[in-house]
């Protein structure tokens, strides 16, 4: 971290004011650093939940500062590792094998991920249903599709974030369409418009973000 708590006054806790009372905005900025760390894999779920609980209980800058001391500040990129950490699609992009249909035979299965002052992760080998709903309220979620199978050629991931965030990670070759609405928040359209590979599934991201 820098010498000042993100959002804190000049001369923050490292500057000799550890007993200065922290505001709700200060606690929320620390929580945002924790959500980013969870999404990037710097923290596991247990560490994230423990630190988030400590954050919302903190009353002073001195109590907040140690929570993110070992994490990069927002916007700071750590040095790239020497070994590539990019996961490629299972089976070299054999998309026909990864579109498996509805695993439970319901024809319109719906699944949920919920984070309320906590976090959730959905990753590894799993089947993405036709529609997946996520809710993050003062929390963070990670939906990782890099090793997943798909219930249909087009799946919808609906994300609702209120003072929280959800990260959707897709493998190379998948078409992504973003239709979310942000109010004092936003949806990243960075992957939108990139053509998908022939036979690859299409992921539609919808939802609503408020301060998230």
């Amino acid at each position: 971290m820098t010498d000042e708590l993100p959002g804190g006054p000049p001369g923050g806790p490292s500057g000799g004011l550890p007993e200065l009372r922290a505001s709700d905005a200060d606690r929320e900025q620390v929580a945002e650093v924790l959500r980013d760390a969870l999404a990037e894999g710097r923290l596991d779920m247990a560490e994230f939940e423990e630190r988030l609980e400590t954050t919302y209980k903190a009353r002073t800058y001195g109590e907040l500062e140690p929570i993110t001391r070992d994490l990069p500040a927002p916007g700071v990129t750590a040095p790239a590792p020497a070994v590539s950490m990019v996961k490629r699609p299972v089976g070299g992009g054999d998309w026909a094998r990864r579109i498996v249909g509805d695993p439970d035979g319901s024809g319109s299965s719906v699944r949920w991920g919920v984070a309320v002052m906590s976090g959730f992760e959905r990753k590894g080998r799993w089947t993405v249903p036709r529609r997946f709903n996520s809710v993050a309220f003062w929390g963070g979620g990670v939906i990782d599709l890099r090793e997943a199978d798909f219930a249909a050629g087009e799946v919808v991931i609906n994300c609702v974030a209120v003072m929280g965030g959800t990260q959707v990670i897709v493998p190379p070759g998948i078409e992504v369409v973003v239709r979310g609405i942000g109010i004092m928040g936003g949806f990243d359209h960075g992957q939108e418009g990139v053509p998908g590979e022939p036979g690859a599934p299409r992921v539609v991201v919808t939802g609503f973000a408020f301060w998230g």
Side-chain angles (χ1 to χ4, degrees):
M1 284 191 61
T2 61
D3 288 339
E4 297 177 16
L5 184 71
S14 297
L17 296 174
E19 299 306 318
L20 189 66
R21 301 283 288 192
S23 68
D24 288 341
D26 296 323
R27 284 183 282 271
E28 183 54 35
Q29 289 189 50
V30 172
E32 185 62 29
V33 174
L34 297 178
R35 294 184 195 110
D36 288 344
L38 173 65
E40 294 166 357
R42 301 181 194 276
L43 297 177
D44 60 29
M45 189 60 65
E47 292 173 314
F48 171 78
E49 291 178 351
E50 180 181 353
R51 295 194 191 198
L52 192 67
E53 182 179 1
T54 303
T55 297
Y56 289 120
K57 288 181 178 179
R59 292 291 176 265
T60 66
Y61 283 112
E63 292 172 343
L64 282 176
E65 184 181 31
I67 297 172
T68 56
R69 182 176 291 159
D70 59 345
L71 300 174
V76 175
T77 303
V83 178
S84 174
M85 302 296 287
V86 177
K87 293 184 179 179
R88 300 299 177 185
V90 177
D94 186 4
W95 298 115
R97 182 170 59 83
R98 296 178 64 180
I99 300 177
V100 298
D102 289 300
D104 59 3
S106 68
S108 59
S109 54
V110 177
R111 296 292 183 269
W112 287 83
V114 179
V116 179
M117 296 182 67
S118 62
F120 75 84
E121 290 180 294
R122 199 69 175 91
K123 63 181 182 178
R125 295 303 302 272
W126 64 296
T127 299
V128 185
R130 293 178 183 271
R131 183 179 180 87
F132 186 94
N133 295 318
S134 74
V135 177
F137 177 75
W138 277 24
V142 177
I143 304 170
D144 191 338
L145 311 182
R146 289 176 294 187
E147 298 180 14
D149 293 328
F150 297 82
E154 179 174 301
V155 298
V156 176
I157 298 179
N158 184 56
C159 302
V160 176
V162 179
M163 292 183 290
T166 300
Q167 183 178 36
V168 181
I169 307 172
V170 301
I174 283 184
E175 180 186 1
V176 178
V177 178
V178 180
R179 297 174 180 165
I181 298 173
I183 298 178
M184 290 186 290
F187 278 76
D188 182 1
H189 293 247
Q191 293 300 313
E192 190 175 28
V194 178
E197 294 178 358
R202 185 172 188 244
V203 176
V204 180
V205 180
T206 64
F208 173 79
F210 178 74
W211 279 16

